[in-house]
Every structure is written in C-alpha cells, then in structure tokens.
Amino acid sequence: MSVAVAGLTGCAEPKAPSSPAAPSAGSRGGGSMITKSWGQKPVASVAALVPARFRNKPIANAIYNNFPPQEFLEGRTLVGIQPDIALALSEVMGVRLDNASVGSFDSLIPGVASGRYDMSSGDFGVTKERLGQVDFVTEFKIGTGFAVRKGSGITIGRATDLCGRSVGVQAGSYFIDQINAAQAQCASAGRGPIKLQTYPDDGARILAVSNGRVQVTATTQDALEYTIKSRNVPLDLQSFVYQPLEQAIVIPDGSDLGPAVEAAMKEIIRNGTYAKIIGKWGAQSIAYQSPNDVRHLTRPEQAA
C-alpha cells in the first residue's frame, strides 16, 4: 500500500492484540481466511542472517489493519497478503513475530523509525523520500487504480481526466504524491486542478466515493478490485493504472535485519509459498516471477 512524505510524521498507534505465530488456509466461500502455518521449516542459510537479539525474543512487526486484500481484520486476527507473507518469512527465518494491529497507516513509518517496531509489513510504496528515513525489502509492484460511483458517467483513461475533479485518497499514502504529480499535468494542459481529499482509513475513503462526496477514489489496483468484488460496493473500476511502483516491507534505516528479510523473501518465492499466498488472495497479476526480483533498498537513489 502506500505512505507518503506526509506519513513520516505523527504519533505511533498503541499496540492492539498481537498474533505471534499467526494465521490453515481457509476457503473464500464464507470460510475463515486465517492461516496458522505455511508448513515451512527454518532454512539454515536464512536463519544464519537473523540478528542474535531475535533468537530469544519475537520481532515486533506493525501491520495496518484496514486495507484488504493486503491487510485487514477477521474478528481480532490480522489476515491478508501481508500477514500471510510475514508468517511465511518468520517460518523460514526460524523466528517468532509479534504482529501489532495498527489502525493508523501514517503512524507505521514513524513507529519503525523511532524503534517502536522492528519492521512493518504494511505494503509501502518505495519512494526516495522514504528511503531517506527507512530501508525496504521489496515484495511486488503495484500501480494506482481509480474507481468512480456507478452511474456517474465519469471515465478515467489518463491522468488528465482527473483534472477539475475531487479525488479521495488515504491519509499518509503515496497516492498524495502521485496526485500532486498529476497536478502538474493539469497545469500544463490548462485544465483545472485536482481537488485532493484525504481520509483516515480505507472504509471512510470508499464510503466517500460511494455516497458521492468525492467523484473519484484512488488506491492500489489490487485493493480496489478486491473491495468492489468482495463488498459489492457501487463503484466502477477504471481501466487506467497510474505509475506502477515497487511495494515493500519497511525496516529501520541501516538495520541488520534487512539481509535476513531479503533472503527469506527470496526463499518463499523459490519454494512456491509466495505464489500460494498471492493466489489465495486473487492477486496473481502483481506477483514477482523470480527471487531475483526482490531487492533490499537502503539509499534514496535506488528508488525508481
């Protein structure tokens, strides 16, 4: 998912119930989506990279709790792509995770940067600004999708189709940066500015466009498609996908945990667990095809 320069400030969310070992793959036909194990054993070459301080204590991992299919709550348990990937990573690393359910997305990066959390599996877009604050281990590449209220007659086929319209995005998300970049295209085309509106969570953003308070909503293409299909909301997904961006797990700047997370991510791609996770959530279009696609990013110039 996201987080913008604006998301680099703010207070950390208090810890909610954690899921140490966390999520048997359930069926989507109304059954549980909680996975308790991916059946993997620690891989010696990966476990050897885990910093010694995590041999006897869990890794504190912050996960946003309201962004399906990436991360959301089923009852009091975190489910989605990110909790499932985190669980698989912990198995091959041979460590325990203490997954903190966090309700404020824009508190995640400050929480990692301050040392409150050891990492955050929050589906963050990789930007130069963020790489000045934290490190990343990439997971997949996702573009920004757009949706409008059914019957509105609005069509978004290119960035300038947003000009003069109100667009709702999540607070702290990198979609703010993307909309601001599109503003320049509006100015060059001599068209009216985009009216950007931010919302505290995914539910508020979807409700705003469903009720007509904003004309367009923007978020990751997988999240929009999942929401429209699973919640039966009255929205039309648009064909335009804007600026695909690497999404990644956040690690503290300079943390020695980074190489272990990178090696673990490559291992779950290699052994097929990653493909099972992505397939479970119907997001095959975003998946990496090779372990070599994974990158451990530590410097701003490494951002696209």
Side-chain angles (χ1 to χ4, degrees), residues 26-33:
S27 66
R28 302 192 70 169
S32 173
M33 297 302 291

Side-chain angles (χ1 to χ4, degrees), residues 99-118:
N99 288 334
S101 171
V102 178
S104 172
F105 182 77
D106 58 2
S107 74
L108 293 174
I109 282 185
V112 172
S114 70
R116 181 184 181 98
Y117 307 115
D118 300 309

Side-chain angles (χ1 to χ4, degrees), residues 10-34:
C11 299
E13 184 78 3
K15 273 196 174 184
S18 62
S19 47
S24 133
S27 66
R28 302 192 70 169
S32 173
M33 297 302 291
I34 298 171

Side-chain angles (χ1 to χ4, degrees), residues 17-19 22-36 63-81 83-84 101-102 226 230-231 280-281:
S18 62
S19 47
S24 133
S27 66
R28 302 192 70 169
S32 173
M33 297 302 291
I34 298 171
T35 298
K36 294 183 178 178
I63 304 182
Y64 181 51
N65 63 20
N66 190 14
F67 195 67
Q70 291 291 337
E71 57 261 337
F72 60 106
L73 289 170
E74 183 175 286
R76 292 170 62 84
T77 302
L78 286 161
V79 298
I81 294 173
D84 279 349
S101 171
V102 178
Y226 181 88
S230 67
R231 299 185 188 176
K280 170 184 171 180
W281 296 100

Side-chain angles (χ1 to χ4, degrees), residues 1-3 123-128 130 138-144 173-175 177-178 220-221 241-248 286 288 295 303-304:
M1 187 177 108
S2 34
V3 49
D123 183 27
F124 296 88
V126 175
T127 66
K128 290 181 178 179
R130 290 177 179 160
T138 65
E139 300 176 281
F140 32 69
K141 183 179 285 190
I142 306 179
T144 299
S173 69
Y174 73 85
F175 308 115
D177 294 340
Q178 291 193 323
T220 60
Q221 62 194 93
V241 177
Y242 188 60
Q243 293 185 345
L245 190 68
E246 295 282 1
Q247 309 292 308
I286 68 172
Y288 281 161
R295 296 190 297 156

Side-chain angles (χ1 to χ4, degrees), residues 77-161:
T77 302
L78 286 161
V79 298
I81 294 173
Q82 294 301 326
D84 279 349
I85 285 180
L87 174 60
L89 296 178
S90 72
E91 290 183 341
V92 299
M93 287 193 292
V95 299
R96 289 188 304 117
L97 292 184
D98 183 1
N99 288 334
S101 171
V102 178
S104 172
F105 182 77
D106 58 2
S107 74
L108 293 174
I109 282 185
V112 172
S114 70
R116 181 184 181 98
Y117 307 115
D118 300 309
M119 59 183 275
S120 180
S121 301
D123 183 27
F124 296 88
V126 175
T127 66
K128 290 181 178 179
E129 290 82 3
R130 290 177 179 160
L131 273 169
Q133 299 286 323
V134 293
D135 295 345
F136 289 105
V137 173
T138 65
E139 300 176 281
F140 32 69
K141 183 179 285 190
I142 306 179
T144 299
F146 300 89
V148 301
R149 186 180 183 183
K150 277 188 180 295
S152 69
I154 296 171
T155 300
I156 307 298
R158 54 188 178 180
T160 51
D161 289 336

